[in-house]
Amino acid sequence: MSSLNMDIDKDPQLDLMTCSICFELYNGHDRKPKGLPCMHSFCLQCLEDYCAKGTQFPCPTCRMQFMVPSDGVDAIPTNILIIQLLETLIEKKNTFDTPGRVCTKHM
């Protein structure tokens, strides 16, 4: 996945695609969005740090308790919707940032 060079403060859509613990954009690697049972998502790296000493924790946002799977934090389901939205934004940005490219609507 390529990087997305946008100012998060200027694009409210990106707020949904950032971890609310570290404020970094999610990605498909160490910043994979992991969805808790309460539907809040946090990046893999932050959850690994947050859950390092135990198996049951409160969600950092709503405080609902969740159990870390026996296989570890990486076994928490990845929020595929966030990954797909981020890929769409990157694709859209790359399309309009390519010199000489014009959107098909304005050809």
Side-chain angles (χ1 to χ4, degrees):
M1 201 181 306
S2 67
S3 66
L4 186 59
N5 296 322
M6 297 174 109
D7 187 348
I8 293 171
D9 294 332
K10 296 180 182 178
D11 193 339
Q13 290 177 350
L14 288 180
D15 191 41
L16 297 172
M17 289 168 250
T18 59
C19 174
S20 61
I21 295 174
C22 66
F23 302 105
E24 295 287 332
L25 282 173
Y26 293 120
N27 64 36
H29 307 290
D30 61 330
R31 299 275 178 210
K32 278 191 275 189
K34 295 295 188 172
L36 302 182
C38 60
M39 305 303 286
H40 290 111
S41 293
F42 305 94
C43 75
L44 173 63
Q45 186 172 344
C46 286
L47 281 178
E48 284 176 340
D49 293 342
Y50 185 70
C51 301
K53 297 181 181 176
T55 59
Q56 186 171 348
F57 298 91
C59 167
T61 300
C62 70
R63 314 310 288 168
M64 180 179 155
Q65 293 289 314
F66 71 95
M67 296 285 295
V68 176
S70 59
D71 292 341
V73 174
D74 199 35
I76 295 173
T78 299
N79 188 328
I80 301 300
L81 179 60
I82 291 176
I83 294 288
Q84 290 172 333
L85 289 171
L86 191 54
E87 287 173 349
T88 300
L89 270 182
I90 290 169
E91 184 178 310
K92 186 184 290 187
K93 181 184 181 324
N94 289 341
T95 298
F96 290 109
D97 283 352
T98 304
R101 298 275 318 249
V102 179
C103 72
T104 56
K105 182 178 177 182
H106 297 100
M107 290 181 96

